[in-house]
Amino acid sequence: MAHNHRNPDETRARILTAAQESFGALGYDRASVAEICRRAAVTKGAFYHHFESKQAVFLQLLEAWLDDMDQRLRTFELSCALVPDQLIAMTTVLDHVLDTATEQLPIYLEYLTQALRDAELRQLTVRPYDRFHRRIADIIRRGIEQGSLRPVPPEATASSVLALVMGLLLEAMLAPDSIDMSAAAAQSMRVLLAGIIREND
Amino acid sequence: MAHNHRNPDETRARILTAAQESFGALGYDRASVAEICRRAAVTKGAFYHHFESKQAVFLQLLEAWLDDMDQRLRTFELSCALVPDQLIAMTTVLDHVLDTATEQLPIYLEYLTQALRDAELRQLTVRPYDRFHRRIADIIRRGIEQGSLRPVPPEATASSVLALVMGLLLEAMLAPDSIDMSAAAAQSMRVLLAGIIREND
DNA sequence: ATTCAGATACCGACCGGTCGGTATGTAATG
DNA sequence: CATTACATACCGACCGGTCGGTATCTGAAT
């Protein structure tokens, strides 16, 4: 091989990138460590020097992705004065998700199914989801306080919003070429908002 | 073995059931043919006598599931005079999915993830999905005609409805013990409907 | 400035085990 | 007796992970 000896950071990064590509293309089980190493132009020795196991690599990727999503959502925390506008604006996060991760999303779904079978892994996966949920519920609460939303139940409504977002994501994966995602997302959010907005005109 | 020699139909059914359980519990890749056979109290010979491959079994289960869903949705075709009531009623399909298949839900997710990667499977999955979509769009069109819905774009709104349903399904898998699913689904649908209903009171 | 010890980074052959699938046999059925 | 319906033994590919070894670097003692 002798690609660029002695650059542990870059080696690590290459392994992670290769793993992400392999997982996305083949799924967790079918993406073999050998394949990942091939793609990263790295030997198994290097792989197991930097990571404890195949699952550890996947976990790292998953956490990084969730952190990225969380950070992105946080940027919209106080972006708009009016809550409805903010929720509409947040749908643009979907654009990024689809742009950068359309290929990777299936493996995160698959991992989710595996996490559902393991109590420990489940917690790890569900916690960020709950964070999203709480964040959105807070936003809705704020909207109710400021009077831009009707007094809907915040938690249940947050569930609806999240469900809508997740569903749109699924839809985009199933029919990626059908329509403009950002428009569809904004439209859907507008429809849903129409039901909870307090009309003051 | 000598369980009940010479009952091909039952053997076939047992294999399918065992496969569904195994896939649901372990996922497609980890659910080995040997494990499926063990669970079905059947040998590999029987398995490969009745089915061409492991994937063929998987495909059969997938088609059966999609057909079942489609049939169930069809029963609501003309159940209610008013379209909003009909859409609310249709959320009860989610009850069935959750009631009878809580254990099997992961495999449904796996159906999706596999379909996302495999072109052939994708078509197979997308077609019924499109059918659902068209069905709902028709219902919405009917609602607009009968005046119970505002003149929203039917296709886009159908996407929103479907996305909401799929998202709720995902949510139920993530947090199955959190709340009553049927209530949450109906509530979400009501919120969404509030945005497209024509108020005439 | 040189040496050298120990840590770090990496190599690649190899291991036990599992996998989907097959070849071949045999017993029941019609 | 031909066909169907299984059973059993087995195959080669491949899997995640290990291990003994090597190359490269760091830093402290000389």
Side-chain angles (χ1 to χ4, degrees):
Chain A
M1 294 287 114
H3 263 277
N4 57 343
H5 273 273
R6 293 277 128 180
N7 195 340
D9 290 347
E10 199 210 303
T11 300
R12 229 186 118 88
R14 264 223 313 280
I15 291 174
L16 282 172
T17 302
Q20 183 153 343
E21 290 170 359
S22 298
F23 286 146
L26 305 169
Y28 180 81
D29 284 303
R30 303 177 121 84
S32 69
V33 174
E35 159 67 18
I36 293 170
C37 291
R38 213 174 301 130
R39 204 185 277 255
V42 149
T43 63
K44 261 190 179 181
F47 183 97
Y48 281 101
H49 172 73
H50 286 287
F51 299 97
E52 197 170 324
S53 66
K54 179 182 170 181
Q55 179 156 359
V57 173
F58 188 88
L59 235 78
Q60 188 130 341
L61 289 172
L62 176 68
E63 288 186 46
W65 185 62
L66 290 171
D67 281 352
D68 178 65
M69 288 280 287
D70 200 52
Q71 207 167 342
R72 244 161 239 285
L73 272 186
R74 206 184 313 225
T75 64
F76 290 97
E77 202 102 283
L78 292 172
S79 58
C80 302
L82 284 177
V83 163
D85 296 337
Q86 179 182 359
L87 287 174
I88 296 273
M90 285 173 73
T91 61
T92 60
V93 173
L94 285 177
D95 293 344
H96 169 260
V97 170
L98 289 170
D99 281 354
T100 67
T102 304
E103 293 295 313
Q104 322 304 335
L105 273 175
I107 183 55
Y108 294 123
L109 267 185
E110 182 175 311
Y111 184 79
L112 198 149
T113 68
Q114 283 176 26
L116 290 181
R117 299 172 190 121
D118 185 297
E120 204 175 337
L121 293 183
R122 182 208 218 92
Q123 269 217 334
L124 195 96
T125 315
V126 167
R127 203 170 306 139
Y129 189 88
D130 283 344
R131 262 209 317 270
F132 297 156
H133 188 281
R134 232 171 294 124
R135 234 185 264 293
I136 294 177
D138 286 343
I139 292 174
I140 290 174
R141 258 187 287 270
R142 191 165 75 87
I144 297 173
E145 273 181 42
Q146 78 176 191
S148 56
L149 296 185
R150 297 211 316 257
V152 290
E155 304 293 339
T157 309
S159 289
S160 301
V161 171
L162 248 187
L164 186 63
V165 169
M166 302 289 277
L168 284 170
L169 225 54
L170 268 181
E171 202 159 296
M173 285 188 273
L174 274 171
D177 46 313
S178 67
I179 29 168
D180 179 29
M181 191 55 201
S182 62
Q187 162 70 14
S188 295
M189 188 62 80
R190 232 173 282 125
V191 166
L192 192 144
L193 282 177
I196 61 174
I197 279 183
R198 155 167 277 157
E199 324 252 357
N200 53 354
D201 52 335
Chain B
M1 292 288 116
H3 265 275
N4 56 342
H5 272 271
R6 298 280 133 175
N7 195 338
D9 290 347
E10 198 210 303
T11 300
R12 228 186 118 87
R14 265 224 312 280
I15 291 174
L16 283 171
T17 302
Q20 181 153 347
E21 290 170 359
S22 298
F23 286 147
L26 305 168
Y28 180 81
D29 284 302
R30 301 179 123 83
S32 68
V33 175
E35 159 67 17
I36 293 170
C37 292
R38 213 172 302 129
R39 204 185 278 253
V42 149
T43 63
K44 262 190 176 183
F47 183 98
Y48 280 100
H49 173 73
H50 286 287
F51 297 97
E52 198 170 322
S53 65
K54 178 183 172 180
Q55 178 153 3
V57 175
F58 182 83
L59 235 80
Q60 188 131 340
L61 289 172
L62 174 64
E63 288 186 50
W65 179 59
L66 290 171
D67 282 351
D68 177 65
M69 288 283 285
D70 197 52
Q71 207 167 342
R72 242 161 241 284
L73 272 186
R74 205 183 314 223
T75 63
F76 290 97
E77 203 99 285
L78 292 171
S79 58
C80 302
L82 284 176
V83 163
D85 296 337
Q86 179 182 359
L87 287 174
I88 296 273
M90 285 174 73
T91 62
T92 59
V93 173
L94 286 177
D95 293 345
H96 167 261
V97 172
L98 290 168
D99 279 355
T100 68
T102 304
E103 293 294 314
Q104 271 69 37
L105 272 178
I107 185 58
Y108 296 150
L109 240 194
E110 184 137 1
Y111 288 157
L112 275 182
T113 59
Q114 294 250 358
L116 293 178
R117 271 191 286 266
D118 186 287
E120 198 178 340
L121 266 184
R122 183 202 220 96
Q123 269 218 335
L124 198 91
T125 314
V126 166
R127 203 169 308 139
Y129 190 87
D130 283 345
R131 263 208 317 269
F132 298 158
H133 188 280
R134 230 170 297 125
R135 236 185 263 293
I136 294 177
D138 285 343
I139 292 174
I140 290 173
R141 257 186 288 270
R142 190 165 75 89
I144 297 173
E145 272 181 42
Q146 79 177 189
S148 57
L149 295 186
R150 296 211 317 256
V152 289
E155 303 293 338
T157 309
S159 289
S160 302
V161 171
L162 248 186
L164 187 62
V165 169
M166 302 289 276
L168 284 170
L169 223 54
L170 265 182
E171 204 159 294
M173 284 188 266
L174 273 171
D177 46 313
S178 68
I179 28 170
D180 179 28
M181 190 55 202
S182 63
Q187 162 71 13
S188 295
M189 187 61 80
R190 234 173 280 124
V191 166
L192 193 144
L193 281 177
I196 61 176
I197 279 184
R198 156 167 276 156
E199 323 251 0
N200 55 351
D201 53 333

